[in-house]
Amino acid sequence: MTAKLIKGTEIREQILEEITTEVAQIKAKHGVVPGLVTILVGANPASISYVTLKIQTAHRVGFHEVQDNQDATISEEDLLALIDKYNKDDSINGILVQLPLPKHVDEKKVLNAIDPDKDVDGFHPVNVGRLMIGGKEVKFPPCTPAGIQEMIVRAGVETKGAEVVVVGRSNIVGKPIANMMVQKGKGANSTVTIVHTGTKDLAAHCKRADILIVAAGVPGLVKPEWIKPGACVIDVGVNRVGETVSEKTGKKVAVLRGDVDFDAAKEIAGYITPVPGGVGPMTITMLMLNTLKSLKFKLGIA
Ligand code: GUN
């Protein structure tokens, strides 16, 4: 093993401690705490476990948390009315609608109904625009890209002038992280290339990368020979490739694999994130940070 492991689980603990301290300070001085509502529609098992973890984490850092679970049959109109209620609720600073939504609901319409100043997921077009402009305009960077950037910064990897190659062009990860790394500022100022399914020679681009960010959703896509020696490799892939029985609990658990061939890549890279325990834990952490920021913007102390 030559690569330094960038552990999301450790960075999460540092950031959650920082948030807990700041929440207590704000409570003492202003008499308020950040409020987060999660809206879950239906009973998708993965969504239930994500929402539960979000609420538990919000509770841990001292937030006011509301878990609003709705039946899968809720009408689009009623869901929009629910969002409007939380838009107007002064105790709520962040609204998170867990995706995916049932087919009869227009996802875009629902996300666009969230007040951009409570859109802690950073999915509203206003926040996408703010991210594109960069600098002080940015209010809520989307959570997974924000977590990736935080990991790169905290690992001490130089980003200024670095060749960053992003594999994948999703709205949730690929496009926003590329946009963030190209901005002038801390943890960015890089030369960025996005590669995708239409790219002619994926390997050639990856080989140039000082920082390789892979969010393709294809297990083991990136081969060790595509990695520049010493590069920082961020693997966003969380692919369920099977099931096993947990030694600890005796329960069935998913076997997860990243988009990078980790065992071989770790002998070549300078830095690498594991799967699980890498980027994954950072997403919820950054959601907490965005919710805290939302209250700070409201109080004029951000
Ligand atoms: N479903 C999967 N990932 C996410 C996320 O980051 N935010 C929301 N709202 N739903 C998701």
Side-chain angles (χ1 to χ4, degrees), residues 51-279:
V51 161
T52 305
L53 204 53
K54 285 168 188 177
I55 286 293
Q56 283 170 350
T57 310
H59 183 77
R60 172 184 160 182
V61 296
F63 288 2
H64 160 59
E65 80 279 3
V66 179
Q67 187 170 3
D68 193 329
N69 294 354
Q70 297 289 329
D71 204 83
T73 56
I74 188 174
S75 69
E76 186 179 284
E77 193 188 356
D78 287 351
L79 189 53
L80 292 171
L82 191 67
I83 288 168
D84 189 48
K85 182 184 98 168
Y86 289 118
N87 280 343
K88 291 173 177 153
D89 183 339
D90 255 358
S91 73
I92 295 297
N93 305 102
I95 301 172
L96 179 130
V97 178
Q98 187 64 30
L99 303 177
L101 289 169
K103 294 251 181 315
H104 68 276
V105 175
D106 183 344
E107 201 164 278
K108 221 188 232 174
K109 213 168 167 180
V110 169
L111 293 180
N112 291 2
I114 298 172
D115 178 348
D117 291 341
K118 294 190 179 188
D119 168 40
V120 285
D121 251 334
F123 292 164
H124 191 287
V126 166
N127 285 316
V128 176
R130 287 170 172 162
L131 191 79
M132 186 81 179
I133 295 166
K136 290 199 173 9
E137 284 293 318
V138 181
K139 281 201 146 182
F140 306 119
C143 301
T144 302
I148 292 169
Q149 193 176 37
E150 192 68 32
M151 294 177 101
I152 294 170
V153 169
R154 291 195 184 222
V157 174
E158 178 62 84
T159 56
K160 186 179 172 199
E163 290 282 343
V164 171
V165 175
V166 178
V167 184
R169 56 179 156 188
S170 71
N171 287 330
I172 292 184
V173 184
K175 283 191 233 169
I177 189 61
N179 183 52
M180 288 160 77
M181 297 307 292
V182 87
Q183 303 287 349
K184 215 169 190 171
K186 189 184 159 212
N189 223 352
S190 308
T191 303
V192 180
T193 306
I194 306 184
V195 298
H196 44 75
T197 48
T199 298
K200 281 186 185 145
D201 191 345
L202 213 56
H205 288 286
C206 292
K207 282 179 194 172
R208 281 191 295 104
D210 300 311
I211 300 173
L212 182 60
I213 301 170
V214 193
V218 180
L221 172 73
V222 171
K223 308 290 176 274
E225 59 272 23
W226 297 10
I227 295 168
K228 183 173 167 179
C232 172
V233 178
I234 307 287
D235 189 351
V236 192
V238 185
N239 306 291
R240 287 166 188 251
V241 292
E243 268 188 351
T244 186
V245 176
S246 163
E247 279 181 22
K248 268 193 208 158
T249 62
K251 286 184 184 165
K252 270 191 197 170
V253 286
V255 176
L256 301 177
R257 193 164 167 226
D259 289 351
V260 177
D261 178 352
F262 178 83
D263 287 335
K266 73 183 192 310
E267 304 302 332
I268 300 160
Y271 298 83
I272 194 164
T273 59
V275 177
V279 175

